[in-house]
Amino acid sequence: VQLQASGGGLVQPGGSLRLSCAASGNIFSMNAMSWYRLAPRKERELVATMTSGGTTTYADSVKGRFTVSGDNVKNTLYLQMNSLRPEDTAVYYCKAVVRTSIIFATTDYWGQGTQVTVSS
């Protein structure tokens, strides 16, 4: 299973970006997909999650500004980020909880990360 994240870049404070994470490979079922971020000198933070049932959860720091959505046909997760702040600067990673067979337990797969920089 491979995850390909894209959409990062440099944006001014108050601006917007949309991240994408496309999952491919031997996917029998996908329980959930999530976005994490890692900023310098900070711990990794869970930003947003979408379950296979469509339930979404967000970190308090991004509620009201970020929206996670998914395309089940394309196995793709999106993160629409609005009203970006300098403190949102980080490498954003996607993670998928995947079952590759009906007889196997789920496994976590990670994408390669995409840099988001919010600066004037």
Side-chain angles (χ1 to χ4, degrees):
V1 176
Q2 298 82 39
L3 300 183
Q4 182 69 43
S6 61
L10 172 64
V11 64
Q12 293 186 343
S16 299
L17 282 175
R18 188 192 195 207
L19 305 184
S20 299
C21 177
S24 61
N26 184 27
I27 299 171
F28 175 78
S29 64
M30 192 175 307
N31 286 20
M33 293 185 76
S34 300
W35 288 101
Y36 288 77
R37 64 186 180 186
L38 182 62
R41 298 175 297 280
K42 292 184 178 180
E43 294 188 355
R44 185 176 64 187
E45 179 183 19
L46 173 59
V47 176
T49 295
M50 172 172 272
T51 69
S52 58
T55 300
T56 57
T57 55
Y58 298 91
D60 288 342
S61 58
V62 306
K63 281 181 181 176
R65 300 187 298 121
F66 291 10
T67 302
V68 65
S69 61
D71 184 329
N72 290 336
V73 174
K74 296 181 180 179
N75 282 333
T76 300
L77 185 72
Y78 304 99
L79 185 66
Q80 178 66 44
M81 305 185 295
N82 298 329
S83 302
L84 282 162
R85 305 166 180 169
E87 53 263 39
D88 295 318
T89 295
V91 178
Y92 285 70
Y93 298 88
C94 57
K95 185 189 82 173
V97 182
V98 173
R99 190 184 300 274
T100 57
S101 167
I102 194 170
I103 63 173
F104 293 152
T106 58
T107 301
D108 291 351
Y109 293 90
W110 291 84
Q112 84 285 8
T114 184
Q115 176 71 46
V116 171
T117 302
V118 184
S119 175
S120 55

